[in-house]
Amino acid sequence: MFSIVKSVKAMKGATRRTLTVGAVAAGIAATSALGASPASAETWHYGSITWYNPSVGVGACGEWHGDNELVAAVSPQMYGSYPNPNNSPVCGKYVIVYAAGGKAVWAKIVDRCANCAAYDVDLSPAAFGVLADLGVGRFSTYWADYI
C-alpha cells in the first residue's frame, strides 16, 4: 500500500500542496485495502503530522476527547472561522494519514490546531502512535480528508 502513496507523492507538483483526482483515486484504492472507508475522499494534502493531548480540555468542536481516542485537529485554514466554532463543517469528518511502512490511521476531526500550517494535522497520542513512536514528534506525509 505504501507504494501507492509513493506513486501519489510522485504526482505532487513542485508548488502544489493539494493533490488532484488521480491521487484521490490512488488513495481510495489504498483505503479500500485497509477495509475501512468513510464515504469518499475530498482532497489529498501533504503536510506535517504532529501530536497533542486532546484530554487537556474541550476541543473547538465542543467535545471532550481522551488521549487514547483516534482524533485529530486541523489547521485554522482547514477548520474555518465561525462565530460558534462548534459549527465548523469539518467537525466529525475524518482524515486518513499515511506513514512509512504502509501504516495508516483514520482519525475523527474534533479540534482546531492554532499553530498548524495550512496542511498540517495534529493527532492524538493514540492516532500518532499507530504511525510512529511519539518520540518522533513530527514527520511529513500525505493525508486526505473524508466526509
Side-chain angles (χ1 to χ4, degrees), residues 49-54 66-72 97-107 121-139:
I49 309 304
T50 53
W51 64 273
Y52 78 113
N53 297 102
D67 295 345
N68 61 339
E69 295 181 58
L70 300 177
V71 296
V97 181
Y98 293 96
K103 297 176 184 177
V105 68
W106 290 100
V121 176
D122 221 357
L123 296 173
S124 65
F128 191 94
V130 170
L131 304 173
D133 184 85
L134 295 182
V136 170
R138 174 186 301 271
F139 63 93

Side-chain angles (χ1 to χ4, degrees), residues 11-21 43-44 46 119 142:
M11 295 168 56
K12 180 179 155 249
T15 59
R16 262 188 101 182
R17 306 258 318 158
T18 302
L19 298 180
T20 60
V21 174
T43 310
W44 285 87
Y46 184 81
Y119 299 115
Y142 286 90

